[in-house]
């Protein structure tokens, strides 16, 4: 069962926050190191962890050296993400020996898997606290118990997921603000661990989201990133929709940009594309993960669309939003994929002409359907296909940004330049990086930038009035 955490329970956690703050007020201010691995959803959870810790009196450091508490907020999407966490955890052993009072906590997607918690229990005895994605809001209580009882604790309640409103947030940026709109995923793509570690789809109330966005904008936010594992199915259980949410947010006063992630092509309807075309604040960047160009593999992946459906969506986007930028995710080497299937992916890439691609070699995830499928192709062979895909996309993407030269875009000045630190940087409405000359006092404002030059990963422009 999915549950919204009651106000009483949230008040209880605020009580624990006060108790921990009281303990912390006695000595010199304690320091926390929070390391987040993985996607934007996890980064957003990391902001909540830091928000709670800040209210409990913690300052923050970029390294675990000398910290009073270290929290690893983990990702399970591919094996190398998990390997990195274990590597970092191993390295903490020495630090803990030097500083036995240090509390080491691990949370996030990885620890929702039994074989992982077993491994932590057995091989990482210096880890004090492990808590699941459903108990993030209980960090104050768990931390209070650690400080007063000093007992090793693994707290991973069962259930399909919770929604906890009112958790304090310490945002990484004032200008660019992430707002979760839904949690979990019901799609069960056969390769993906997310539905197992993040629970069932559940949407936040539209009014809760809109008031958070309004508050962020009046606090100076100029880019709102709406987050969910599958934002296109937002609001189904509440009788609303992602289109309705976009229209509500687009109608909020002020100049700001609306971005969103992640999308699933099966729910990317014409109505949604029409909405985006009409909402001038919504990004002109469409990130639509296709994963494969072969109908046979898409079926095995349980994606619930075929390549022709995908072309239909892309063609409609191009018709309604002619200056759209298109990007995608692709998995190479799914179990049973043949070179012929892979060539279908290449032909899809050639046909769509993405601006850029995020490419991954398939990584088996324990407990998923795909992990049980026969996978005869060698890692070497998959590596070859992977490089071939990069080459094809490299050729397609090389001159993709030339089409922006000579055009003028409204750009938010975000900070120091990415090509040269003497310049300022921002992004076009298509989410393409653009650097331009300007005074640092412009940071946080929108300006008109005329594009003069294109590299294959960024643009150079000039402010015009
Ligand atoms: N192996 C490789 N890539 C994966 N992704 C998700 N699960 C796996 C996996 N088991 C990729 C998909 C997804 C992106 C976030 O990560 O392409 O869109
Ligand atoms: Fe990684 Fe997925 Fe968890 Fe994000 S939701 S941290 S991508 S496993």
């Amino acid at each position: 069962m999915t549950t919204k955490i009651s106000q009483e329970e949230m008040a209880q956690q605020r009580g624990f926050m006060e108790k921990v703050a009281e303990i912390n007020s006695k000595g010199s201010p304690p320091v926390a190191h929070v390391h987040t691995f993985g996607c934007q959803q996890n980064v957003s959870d990391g902001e909540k962890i830091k928000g709670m810790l800040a209210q409990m009196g913690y300052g923050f450091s970029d390294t675990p050296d000398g910290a009073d508490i270290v929290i690893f907020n983990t990702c399970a999407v591919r094996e190398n993400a998990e390997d990195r966490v274990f590597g970092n955890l191993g390295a903490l052993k020495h630090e803990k020996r030097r500083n036995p009072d240090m509390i080491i906590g691990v949370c996030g997607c990885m620890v929702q898997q039994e074989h992982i918690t077993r491994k932590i229990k057995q091989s990482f005895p210096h880890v004090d606290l492990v808590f699941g994605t459903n108990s993030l809001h209980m960090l104050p209580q768990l931390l209070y118990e650690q400080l007063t009882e000093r007992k090793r604790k693994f707290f991973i309640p069962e259930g399909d997921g919770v929604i906890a409103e009112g958790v304090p947030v310490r945002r990484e940026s004032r200008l660019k603000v992430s707002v979760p709109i839904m949690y979990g995923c019901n799609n069960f793509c056969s390769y993906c661990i997310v539905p197992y570690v993040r629970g069932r789809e559940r949407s936040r109330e539209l009014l809760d989201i809109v008031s958070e966005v309004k508050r962020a904008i009046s606090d100076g936010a100029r880019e709102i990133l709406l987050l969910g594992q599958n934002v296109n199915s937002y609001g189904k259980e509440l009788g609303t929709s992602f289109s309705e949410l976009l229209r509500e947010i687009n109608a909020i006063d002020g100049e700001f940009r609306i971005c969103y992630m992640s999308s699933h092509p099966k729910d990317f309807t014409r109505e949604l594309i029409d909405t985006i075309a009409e909402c001038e604040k919504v990004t002109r960047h469409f990130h639509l993960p296709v994963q494969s160009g072969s109908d046979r593999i898409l079926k095995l992946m349980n994606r619930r669309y075929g390549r022709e459906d995908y072309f239909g969506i892309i063609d409609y986007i191009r018709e309604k939003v002619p200056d759209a930028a298109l990007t995608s995710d692709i998995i190479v080497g799914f179990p049973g994929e043949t070179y012929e299937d892979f060539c279908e992916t290449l032909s899809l890439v050639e046909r769509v002409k993405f601006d850029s691609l995020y490419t991954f070699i398939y990584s088996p995830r324990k407990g998923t359907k795909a992990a049980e499928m026969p996978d005869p192709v060698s890692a070497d062979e998959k590596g070859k296909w992977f490089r071939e895909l990069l080459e094809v996309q490299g050729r397609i993407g090389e001159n993709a940004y030339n089409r922006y030269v000579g055009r003028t875009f409204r750009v938010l000045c975000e900070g120091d330049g990415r090509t040269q630190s003497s310049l300022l940087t921002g992004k076009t409405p298509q989410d393409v990086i653009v650097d331009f000359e300007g005074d640092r006092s412009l940071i946080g404002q929108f300006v008109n930038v005329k594009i003069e030059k294109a590299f294959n990963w960024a643009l150079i422009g000039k402010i015009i009035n």
Side-chain angles (χ1 to χ4, degrees):
M1 255 274 294
T2 298
T3 7
K4 186 162 175 175
I5 304 296
S6 69
Q7 297 207 353
E8 291 74 40
E9 273 178 88
M10 292 308 291
Q12 220 181 357
Q13 292 305 319
R14 282 196 295 280
F16 281 110
M17 269 194 246
E18 280 166 23
K19 285 184 184 175
V20 175
E22 164 88 31
I23 295 173
N24 283 338
S25 67
K26 298 208 168 102
S28 54
V31 172
H33 169 67
V34 180
H35 188 157
T36 292
F37 301 79
C39 66
Q40 286 298 325
Q41 191 74 54
N42 247 23
V43 172
S44 165
D45 283 351
E47 292 184 339
K48 288 182 184 161
I49 293 170
K50 284 187 168 175
M52 290 184 275
L53 289 171
Q55 287 221 347
M56 291 186 274
Y58 289 87
F60 295 94
S61 80
D62 291 336
T63 71
D65 305 345
D68 298 278
I69 177 164
V70 172
I71 295 185
F72 283 170
N73 180 24
T74 63
C75 170
V77 78
R78 282 173 294 274
E79 195 177 358
N80 57 6
E82 294 190 340
D83 289 346
R84 264 196 300 146
V85 170
F86 282 128
N88 278 275
L89 265 186
L92 276 186
K93 233 175 228 169
H94 308 287
E95 191 58 32
K96 177 94 171 186
R97 222 172 278 142
R98 245 183 308 172
N99 174 12
D101 286 341
M102 172 193 259
I103 294 172
I104 300 180
V106 184
C107 64
C109 295
M110 249 173 103
V111 304
Q112 290 294 130
Q113 306 169 92
E114 230 179 285
H115 68 279
I116 297 284
T117 45
R118 214 178 313 124
K119 182 165 169 179
I120 295 177
K121 251 182 208 155
Q122 285 164 1
S123 311
F124 297 86
H126 55 298
V127 171
D128 305 286
L129 174 63
V130 173
F131 55 107
T133 51
N134 287 334
S135 41
L136 196 75
H137 63 287
M138 291 180 66
L139 177 62
Q141 179 175 356
L142 296 169
L143 191 50
Y144 177 74
E145 288 167 4
Q146 276 300 314
L147 289 168
T148 52
E149 296 165 19
R150 285 282 161 181
K151 269 200 219 120
R152 200 169 191 223
K153 185 153 195 171
F154 285 67
F155 189 73
I156 300 151
E158 298 267 318
D160 286 343
V162 299
I163 293 185
E165 291 292 345
V167 176
V169 185
R170 188 176 188 268
R171 303 204 190 275
E172 300 289 331
S173 158
R174 192 177 58 95
L175 218 52
K176 296 164 51 157
V177 162
S178 300
V179 177
I181 63 168
M182 63 184 305
Y183 307 94
C185 181
N186 288 353
N187 290 328
F188 289 93
C189 302
S190 62
Y191 51 81
C192 186
I193 194 71
V194 170
Y196 302 90
V197 294
R198 287 274 178 183
R200 296 293 62 74
E201 272 175 19
R202 52 211 186 269
S203 300
R204 290 178 70 194
E205 300 281 347
L206 193 134
L207 285 178
D208 287 335
I209 299 169
V210 171
S211 61
E212 184 174 342
V213 172
K214 281 186 177 160
R215 223 175 313 123
I217 288 166
S218 65
D219 287 347
R222 294 293 172 263
E223 184 178 299
I224 303 291
L225 174 59
L226 304 174
L227 282 180
Q229 248 75 48
N230 181 17
V231 289
N232 317 131
S233 52
Y234 168 77
K236 274 186 186 160
E237 72 279 26
L238 300 175
T240 176
S241 68
F242 188 52
S243 291
E244 195 170 336
L245 178 69
L246 284 180
R247 287 188 194 276
E248 290 281 337
I249 297 178
N250 194 66
I252 297 173
D253 281 344
E255 188 170 16
F256 62 95
R257 182 159 302 150
I258 305 165
C259 307
Y260 55 91
M261 71 187 302
S262 303
S263 291
H264 192 305
K266 87 173 160 57
D267 300 314
F268 219 90
T269 57
R270 290 187 166 216
E271 186 213 350
L272 177 57
I273 297 168
D274 291 340
T275 302
I276 292 172
E278 285 161 29
C279 290
E280 76 290 350
K281 290 173 183 159
V282 177
T283 177
R284 267 44 196 146
H285 172 198
F286 293 76
H287 179 67
L288 262 184
V290 67
Q291 314 298 359
S292 168
S294 149
D295 281 335
R296 197 181 73 84
I297 296 299
L298 286 170
K299 199 157 185 117
L300 286 175
M301 286 177 162
N302 192 30
R303 291 291 284 177
R304 285 173 276 180
Y305 56 82
R307 60 187 270 137
E308 287 305 321
D309 302 319
Y310 191 79
F311 291 144
I313 300 168
I314 297 295
D315 292 345
Y316 195 71
I317 291 174
R318 290 232 156 98
E319 181 191 328
K320 291 285 163 163
V321 189
D323 60 353
L326 292 168
T327 60
S328 196
D329 292 348
I330 287 181
I331 298 177
V332 174
F334 183 84
E337 185 174 5
T338 61
Y339 187 67
E340 285 67 39
D341 293 313
F342 172 69
C343 288
E344 295 274 282
T345 298
L346 290 182
S347 83
L348 180 138
V349 167
E350 298 266 11
R351 152 88 149 82
V352 176
K353 298 202 170 26
F354 294 105
D355 290 83
S356 61
L357 276 182
Y358 299 84
T359 44
F360 310 99
I361 293 191
Y362 168 73
S363 166
R365 307 285 61 213
K366 207 179 170 127
T368 60
K369 287 244 166 69
E372 306 299 318
M373 297 178 188
D375 189 3
V377 175
S378 71
D380 264 5
E381 187 65 14
K382 291 183 183 185
K384 262 192 234 158
W385 300 356
F386 186 78
R387 286 189 295 279
E388 192 175 346
L389 174 60
L390 291 189
E391 246 169 64
V392 168
Q393 177 57 32
R395 184 166 37 74
I396 293 168
E398 200 175 357
N399 301 316
Y401 290 168
N402 283 348
R403 70 180 190 272
Y404 297 124
V405 173
R407 296 187 57 190
T408 300
F409 296 108
R410 203 78 184 135
V411 173
L412 171 66
C413 301
E414 294 176 15
D416 292 331
R418 287 177 240 214
T419 55
Q420 277 177 53
S421 59
S422 60
L423 301 177
L424 292 180
T425 198
K427 275 186 265 138
T428 70
Q430 296 80 9
D431 237 358
V432 180
I433 292 171
V434 52
D435 283 4
F436 46 90
E437 259 178 40
D439 194 87
R440 297 196 82 245
S441 63
L442 290 172
I443 293 174
Q445 294 181 33
F446 281 91
V447 291
N448 294 323
V449 175
K450 184 166 183 189
I451 307 305
E452 298 187 320
K453 197 172 164 190
F455 298 112
N456 60 2
W457 61 280
L459 304 167
I460 303 285
K462 192 175 179 180
I463 297 183
I464 58 163
N465 291 317

PDB file of all heavy atoms in Angstrom, residues 10-28:
ATOM      1  N   MET A  10       4.857  13.370  10.831  1.00  0.00           N
ATOM      2  CA  MET A  10       5.844  14.377  10.424  1.00  0.00           C
ATOM      3  C   MET A  10       6.186  15.268  11.622  1.00  0.00           C
ATOM      4  O   MET A  10       7.340  15.659  11.802  1.00  0.00           O
ATOM      5  CB  MET A  10       5.329  15.219   9.247  1.00  0.00           C
ATOM      6  CG  MET A  10       5.189  14.445   7.930  1.00  0.00           C
ATOM      7  SD  MET A  10       6.650  13.517   7.415  1.00  0.00           S
ATOM      8  CE  MET A  10       7.781  14.838   6.993  1.00  0.00           C
ATOM      9  N   ALA A  11       5.154  15.561  12.462  1.00  0.00           N
ATOM     10  CA  ALA A  11       5.406  16.389  13.656  1.00  0.00           C
ATOM     11  C   ALA A  11       6.338  15.645  14.615  1.00  0.00           C
ATOM     12  O   ALA A  11       7.231  16.237  15.233  1.00  0.00           O
ATOM     13  CB  ALA A  11       4.089  16.726  14.337  1.00  0.00           C
ATOM     14  N   GLN A  12       6.139  14.331  14.692  1.00  0.00           N
ATOM     15  CA  GLN A  12       7.001  13.499  15.544  1.00  0.00           C
ATOM     16  C   GLN A  12       8.462  13.613  15.082  1.00  0.00           C
ATOM     17  O   GLN A  12       9.375  13.756  15.890  1.00  0.00           O
ATOM     18  CB  GLN A  12       6.545  12.060  15.402  1.00  0.00           C
ATOM     19  CG  GLN A  12       6.552  11.275  16.662  1.00  0.00           C
ATOM     20  CD  GLN A  12       6.089   9.844  16.361  1.00  0.00           C
ATOM     21  OE1 GLN A  12       5.719   9.500  15.234  1.00  0.00           O
ATOM     22  NE2 GLN A  12       6.116   9.016  17.386  1.00  0.00           N
ATOM     23  N   GLN A  13       8.655  13.558  13.758  1.00  0.00           N
ATOM     24  CA  GLN A  13      10.024  13.665  13.227  1.00  0.00           C
ATOM     25  C   GLN A  13      10.607  15.047  13.524  1.00  0.00           C
ATOM     26  O   GLN A  13      11.789  15.172  13.826  1.00  0.00           O
ATOM     27  CB  GLN A  13      10.052  13.374  11.715  1.00  0.00           C
ATOM     28  CG  GLN A  13       9.746  11.926  11.363  1.00  0.00           C
ATOM     29  CD  GLN A  13      10.664  10.931  12.076  1.00  0.00           C
ATOM     30  OE1 GLN A  13      11.873  11.153  12.204  1.00  0.00           O
ATOM     31  NE2 GLN A  13      10.099   9.830  12.569  1.00  0.00           N
ATOM     32  N   ARG A  14       9.762  16.093  13.450  1.00  0.00           N
ATOM     33  CA  ARG A  14      10.262  17.439  13.805  1.00  0.00           C
ATOM     34  C   ARG A  14      10.699  17.469  15.265  1.00  0.00           C
ATOM     35  O   ARG A  14      11.679  18.114  15.617  1.00  0.00           O
ATOM     36  CB  ARG A  14       9.190  18.504  13.527  1.00  0.00           C
ATOM     37  CG  ARG A  14       9.093  18.864  12.048  1.00  0.00           C
ATOM     38  CD  ARG A  14       8.327  20.159  11.842  1.00  0.00           C
ATOM     39  NE  ARG A  14       6.922  20.061  12.232  1.00  0.00           N
ATOM     40  CZ  ARG A  14       5.955  19.514  11.466  1.00  0.00           C
ATOM     41  NH1 ARG A  14       6.246  19.061  10.255  1.00  0.00           N
ATOM     42  NH2 ARG A  14       4.722  19.448  11.898  1.00  0.00           N
ATOM     43  N   GLY A  15       9.966  16.707  16.104  1.00  0.00           N
ATOM     44  CA  GLY A  15      10.347  16.600  17.521  1.00  0.00           C
ATOM     45  C   GLY A  15      11.732  15.982  17.650  1.00  0.00           C
ATOM     46  O   GLY A  15      12.577  16.468  18.425  1.00  0.00           O
ATOM     47  N   PHE A  16      11.997  14.924  16.879  1.00  0.00           N
ATOM     48  CA  PHE A  16      13.324  14.292  16.927  1.00  0.00           C
ATOM     49  C   PHE A  16      14.394  15.255  16.422  1.00  0.00           C
ATOM     50  O   PHE A  16      15.521  15.254  16.921  1.00  0.00           O
ATOM     51  CB  PHE A  16      13.338  12.990  16.123  1.00  0.00           C
ATOM     52  CG  PHE A  16      12.720  11.830  16.873  1.00  0.00           C
ATOM     53  CD1 PHE A  16      11.505  11.291  16.480  1.00  0.00           C
ATOM     54  CD2 PHE A  16      13.376  11.279  17.971  1.00  0.00           C
ATOM     55  CE1 PHE A  16      10.934  10.229  17.169  1.00  0.00           C
ATOM     56  CE2 PHE A  16      12.821  10.211  18.666  1.00  0.00           C
ATOM     57  CZ  PHE A  16      11.588   9.691  18.266  1.00  0.00           C
ATOM     58  N   MET A  17      14.029  16.066  15.408  1.00  0.00           N
ATOM     59  CA  MET A  17      15.002  17.044  14.890  1.00  0.00           C
ATOM     60  C   MET A  17      15.426  17.990  16.006  1.00  0.00           C
ATOM     61  O   MET A  17      16.605  18.292  16.162  1.00  0.00           O
ATOM     62  CB  MET A  17      14.383  17.857  13.744  1.00  0.00           C
ATOM     63  CG  MET A  17      14.614  17.243  12.391  1.00  0.00           C
ATOM     64  SD  MET A  17      14.258  18.375  11.058  1.00  0.00           S
ATOM     65  CE  MET A  17      12.875  17.582  10.329  1.00  0.00           C
ATOM     66  N   GLU A  18      14.438  18.436  16.794  1.00  0.00           N
ATOM     67  CA  GLU A  18      14.763  19.351  17.897  1.00  0.00           C
ATOM     68  C   GLU A  18      15.660  18.673  18.919  1.00  0.00           C
ATOM     69  O   GLU A  18      16.606  19.267  19.433  1.00  0.00           O
ATOM     70  CB  GLU A  18      13.481  19.837  18.578  1.00  0.00           C
ATOM     71  CG  GLU A  18      12.814  20.950  17.797  1.00  0.00           C
ATOM     72  CD  GLU A  18      11.388  21.223  18.253  1.00  0.00           C
ATOM     73  OE1 GLU A  18      11.045  20.899  19.412  1.00  0.00           O
ATOM     74  OE2 GLU A  18      10.621  21.744  17.414  1.00  0.00           O
ATOM     75  N   LYS A  19      15.357  17.390  19.200  1.00  0.00           N
ATOM     76  CA  LYS A  19      16.166  16.664  20.194  1.00  0.00           C
ATOM     77  C   LYS A  19      17.611  16.524  19.728  1.00  0.00           C
ATOM     78  O   LYS A  19      18.546  16.697  20.522  1.00  0.00           O
ATOM     79  CB  LYS A  19      15.588  15.259  20.439  1.00  0.00           C
ATOM     80  CG  LYS A  19      14.344  15.251  21.283  1.00  0.00           C
ATOM     81  CD  LYS A  19      13.953  13.808  21.523  1.00  0.00           C
ATOM     82  CE  LYS A  19      12.659  13.699  22.286  1.00  0.00           C
ATOM     83  NZ  LYS A  19      12.217  12.325  22.423  1.00  0.00           N
ATOM     84  N   VAL A  20      17.796  16.198  18.444  1.00  0.00           N
ATOM     85  CA  VAL A  20      19.168  16.047  17.930  1.00  0.00           C
ATOM     86  C   VAL A  20      19.867  17.410  17.934  1.00  0.00           C
ATOM     87  O   VAL A  20      21.036  17.518  18.321  1.00  0.00           O
ATOM     88  CB  VAL A  20      19.177  15.430  16.505  1.00  0.00           C
ATOM     89  CG1 VAL A  20      20.582  15.399  15.938  1.00  0.00           C
ATOM     90  CG2 VAL A  20      18.591  14.029  16.524  1.00  0.00           C
ATOM     91  N   ALA A  21      19.115  18.452  17.553  1.00  0.00           N
ATOM     92  CA  ALA A  21      19.702  19.804  17.548  1.00  0.00           C
ATOM     93  C   ALA A  21      20.165  20.166  18.956  1.00  0.00           C
ATOM     94  O   ALA A  21      21.230  20.763  19.145  1.00  0.00           O
ATOM     95  CB  ALA A  21      18.680  20.807  17.033  1.00  0.00           C
ATOM     96  N   GLU A  22      19.381  19.768  19.944  1.00  0.00           N
ATOM     97  CA  GLU A  22      19.709  20.038  21.357  1.00  0.00           C
ATOM     98  C   GLU A  22      21.027  19.332  21.729  1.00  0.00           C
ATOM     99  O   GLU A  22      21.928  19.930  22.310  1.00  0.00           O
ATOM    100  CB  GLU A  22      18.521  19.520  22.186  1.00  0.00           C
ATOM    101  CG  GLU A  22      18.746  19.336  23.670  1.00  0.00           C
ATOM    102  CD  GLU A  22      18.457  20.625  24.430  1.00  0.00           C
ATOM    103  OE1 GLU A  22      17.592  21.365  23.948  1.00  0.00           O
ATOM    104  OE2 GLU A  22      19.117  20.868  25.464  1.00  0.00           O
ATOM    105  N   ILE A  23      21.135  18.050  21.349  1.00  0.00           N
ATOM    106  CA  ILE A  23      22.370  17.304  21.635  1.00  0.00           C
ATOM    107  C   ILE A  23      23.539  18.006  20.950  1.00  0.00           C
ATOM    108  O   ILE A  23      24.596  18.228  21.556  1.00  0.00           O
ATOM    109  CB  ILE A  23      22.269  15.839  21.118  1.00  0.00           C
ATOM    110  CG1 ILE A  23      21.193  15.082  21.879  1.00  0.00           C
ATOM    111  CG2 ILE A  23      23.622  15.118  21.229  1.00  0.00           C
ATOM    112  CD1 ILE A  23      20.889  13.683  21.331  1.00  0.00           C
ATOM    113  N   ASN A  24      23.339  18.390  19.677  1.00  0.00           N
ATOM    114  CA  ASN A  24      24.429  18.988  18.898  1.00  0.00           C
ATOM    115  C   ASN A  24      24.822  20.376  19.382  1.00  0.00           C
ATOM    116  O   ASN A  24      25.926  20.839  19.099  1.00  0.00           O
ATOM    117  CB  ASN A  24      24.039  19.052  17.420  1.00  0.00           C
ATOM    118  CG  ASN A  24      24.170  17.692  16.743  1.00  0.00           C
ATOM    119  OD1 ASN A  24      24.914  16.832  17.224  1.00  0.00           O
ATOM    120  ND2 ASN A  24      23.447  17.489  15.661  1.00  0.00           N
ATOM    121  N   SER A  25      23.900  21.048  20.091  1.00  0.00           N
ATOM    122  CA  SER A  25      24.210  22.417  20.522  1.00  0.00           C
ATOM    123  C   SER A  25      25.215  22.418  21.668  1.00  0.00           C
ATOM    124  O   SER A  25      25.756  23.454  22.020  1.00  0.00           O
ATOM    125  CB  SER A  25      22.930  23.137  20.939  1.00  0.00           C
ATOM    126  OG  SER A  25      22.430  22.522  22.108  1.00  0.00           O
ATOM    127  N   LYS A  26      25.471  21.226  22.246  1.00  0.00           N
ATOM    128  CA  LYS A  26      26.339  21.170  23.437  1.00  0.00           C
ATOM    129  C   LYS A  26      27.818  21.320  23.106  1.00  0.00           C
ATOM    130  O   LYS A  26      28.546  22.002  23.809  1.00  0.00           O
ATOM    131  CB  LYS A  26      26.070  19.893  24.209  1.00  0.00           C
ATOM    132  CG  LYS A  26      24.616  19.893  24.690  1.00  0.00           C
ATOM    133  CD  LYS A  26      24.381  19.111  25.944  1.00  0.00           C
ATOM    134  CE  LYS A  26      22.998  19.404  26.488  1.00  0.00           C
ATOM    135  NZ  LYS A  26      22.027  18.345  26.191  1.00  0.00           N
ATOM    136  N   GLY A  27      28.279  20.689  22.007  1.00  0.00           N
ATOM    137  CA  GLY A  27      29.711  20.783  21.680  1.00  0.00           C
ATOM    138  C   GLY A  27      29.946  21.763  20.542  1.00  0.00           C
ATOM    139  O   GLY A  27      29.099  22.609  20.258  1.00  0.00           O
ATOM    140  N   SER A  28      31.104  21.597  19.868  1.00  0.00           N
ATOM    141  CA  SER A  28      31.333  22.437  18.684  1.00  0.00           C
ATOM    142  C   SER A  28      30.428  21.914  17.560  1.00  0.00           C
ATOM    143  O   SER A  28      30.112  20.714  17.535  1.00  0.00           O
ATOM    144  CB  SER A  28      32.798  22.398  18.287  1.00  0.00           C
ATOM    145  OG  SER A  28      33.194  21.063  18.131  1.00  0.00           O
TER     146      SER A  28
END
